[in-house]
């Protein structure tokens, strides 16, 4: 049986969105122009990571000419991208303890160091192979998920920077409230990250580059652009609400189906579990074979 419900992904729209972000960065007064770290974690937000990754790799090559960087959640996602033929640098965002570290070395992936124990595990693995491994260092400035606490780096960072088989290529953080900042945390995180940048040399962080901006921060505040930005939702044509933008974005995914039932509702009647929808006027409702028990 062929199901009538399907999702279609428009890779041309995806590429157009990538170039729209690229144009916004290059048209600004920021010099040098920040690089793009394209986020394709969680199967490219459901769009298909391998096909999206290959399309973005081609798009980056045909745009500014700079080598593209792709980012995913874990080592397994990175391996899948490599097996699809993707040659670009691949940054792993997530915790390393859930994966086999051999994949980092066997598939040329760039892991994130977000704890002293992660650094130690990578140092041991790199030393056993006789190689130096490029890594990104994550600083927790207020998200309280992964990363070395910004206010405890004097204790946690020294063993990381002393690791003789690790090269810290970049330092980054992640914003918790870039979309809507009623708590003032967004600006606080910027201030904390700036303090780390100011103290970088004293902390042993020499010749590194910096990144922080997710899609919302990229649109909201150029102070967060630094050396690279990390668009995720924007690439798929989604603007994080309530932010508005003049970027010419196109939805990359469309979902199509057909109706299997149509019926009328009188004013005051409800539809669905919990009676959450109330008809305010005479109207018709339709059932689509998708979702909770195809209702």
């Amino acid at each position: 049986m062929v199901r009538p419900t399907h999702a279609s992904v428009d890779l041309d729209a995806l590429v157009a969105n990538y170039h729209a972000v690229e144009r916004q960065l290059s048209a600004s007064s920021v010099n040098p122009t920040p690089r793009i770290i394209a986020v394709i974690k969680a199967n490219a937000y459901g769009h298909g990571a391998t096909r999206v990754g290959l399309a973005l790799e081609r798009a980056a090559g045909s745009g500014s000419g700079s080598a593209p960087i792709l980012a995913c959640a874990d080592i397994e996602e990175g391996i899948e991208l490599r097996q699809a033929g993707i040659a670009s640098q691949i940054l792993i965002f997530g915790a390393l303890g859930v994966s086999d570290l051999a994949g980092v070395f066997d598939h040329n992936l760039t892991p994130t160091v977000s704890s002293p124990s992660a650094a130690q595990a990578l140092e041991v693995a790199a030393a056993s192979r006789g190689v130096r491994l490029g890594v990104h260092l994550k600083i927790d400035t207020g998200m309280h998920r992964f990363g070395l606490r910004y206010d405890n780096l004097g204790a946690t960072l020294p063993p990381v920077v002393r690791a003789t088989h690790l090269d810290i290529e970049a330092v980054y953080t992640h914003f918790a409230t870039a979309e809507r900042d009623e708590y003032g945390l967004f600006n606080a995180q910027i201030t904390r990250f700036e303090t780390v940048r100011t103290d970088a040399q004293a902390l042993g962080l020499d010749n590194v580059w910096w990144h922080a901006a997710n899609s919302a921060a990229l649109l909201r505040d150029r102070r967060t652009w630094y050396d690279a930005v990390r668009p995720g939702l924007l690439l798929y044509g989604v603007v994080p609400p309530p932010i508005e933008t003049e970027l010419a974005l196109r939805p990359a995914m469309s979902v199509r189906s057909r109706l299997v039932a149509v019926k009328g509702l009188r004013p005051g009647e409800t539809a669905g579990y919990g009676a959450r929808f109330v008809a305010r006027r005479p109207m018709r409702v339709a059932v689509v074979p998708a979702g909770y028990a195809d209702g």
Side-chain angles (χ1 to χ4, degrees), residues 113-120 137-140 147-163 168 203 205:
V113 168
S114 57
S115 68
S117 60
Q120 182 180 22
L137 177 69
K138 187 169 187 180
I139 307 298
D140 179 6
L148 302 177
R149 282 190 63 105
Y150 73 96
D151 54 358
N152 196 35
L153 294 178
T156 58
L157 191 54
V160 178
V161 298
R162 286 198 303 263
I168 300 176
L203 292 168
L205 299 173

Side-chain angles (χ1 to χ4, degrees), residues 12-287:
D12 289 338
L14 178 90
V15 169
N17 295 338
Y18 177 92
H19 287 314
V21 173
E22 195 174 45
R23 285 193 299 272
Q24 172 152 325
L25 296 174
S26 61
S28 73
S29 57
V30 176
N31 187 32
T33 301
R35 298 177 67 180
I36 295 177
I37 301 175
V39 181
I40 58 173
K41 63 183 180 181
N43 196 29
Y45 295 69
H47 291 71
T50 56
R51 292 188 179 185
V52 165
L54 289 167
L56 289 174
E57 188 171 59
R58 291 191 296 270
S62 63
S64 65
S66 61
I69 302 173
L70 304 177
C72 58
D74 54 40
I75 294 172
E76 286 76 16
E77 286 188 351
I79 292 173
E80 182 181 16
L81 297 175
R82 284 283 185 252
Q83 291 175 339
I86 290 172
S88 301
Q89 182 178 358
I90 298 174
L91 173 63
I92 306 299
F93 280 148
L96 302 177
V98 299
S99 304
D100 182 355
L101 290 183
V104 168
F105 301 90
D106 296 342
H107 298 276
N108 189 27
L109 306 176
T110 302
T112 291
V113 168
S114 57
S115 68
S117 60
Q120 182 180 22
L122 289 170
E123 167 69 10
V124 170
S128 69
R129 291 166 170 80
V131 299
R132 290 183 64 85
L133 177 67
V135 303
H136 287 210
L137 177 69
K138 187 169 187 180
I139 307 298
D140 179 6
T141 57
M143 181 76 172
H144 298 309
R145 191 169 59 185
F146 294 124
L148 302 177
R149 282 190 63 105
Y150 73 96
D151 54 358
N152 196 35
L153 294 178
T156 58
L157 191 54
V160 178
V161 298
R162 286 198 303 263
T164 57
H165 291 81
L166 301 183
D167 284 326
I168 300 176
E169 299 175 349
V171 180
Y172 73 99
T173 194
H174 190 57
F175 295 116
T177 59
E179 295 89 348
R180 190 194 306 266
D181 189 35
E182 59 265 43
Y183 303 107
L185 180 57
F186 179 66
N187 281 311
Q189 286 191 260
I190 294 175
T191 300
R192 293 164 184 170
F193 197 54
E194 281 297 318
T195 299
V196 176
R197 281 167 46 82
T198 300
D199 298 340
Q201 190 168 7
L203 292 168
L205 299 173
D206 294 321
N207 299 317
V208 299
W209 46 286
W210 306 80
H211 53 99
N214 56 6
S215 290
L218 188 162
L219 295 176
R220 178 176 173 180
D221 197 325
R222 291 187 181 183
R223 291 179 300 164
T224 67
W225 286 8
Y226 299 112
D227 301 304
V229 296
R230 305 192 305 264
L233 291 177
L234 289 180
L235 299 178
Y236 309 100
V238 178
V239 178
I243 295 175
E244 297 181 355
T245 181
E246 295 181 356
L247 278 178
L249 301 177
R250 293 158 52 188
M253 180 185 289
S254 58
V255 180
R256 292 180 171 83
S257 188
R258 63 179 177 84
L259 306 183
V260 294
V262 178
K263 61 178 60 180
L265 287 182
R266 298 184 176 90
E269 291 185 327
T270 64
Y273 287 116
R276 292 175 181 167
F277 179 81
V278 181
R280 302 300 180 189
R281 55 180 174 77
M283 61 190 307
R284 289 182 296 171
V285 296
V287 178

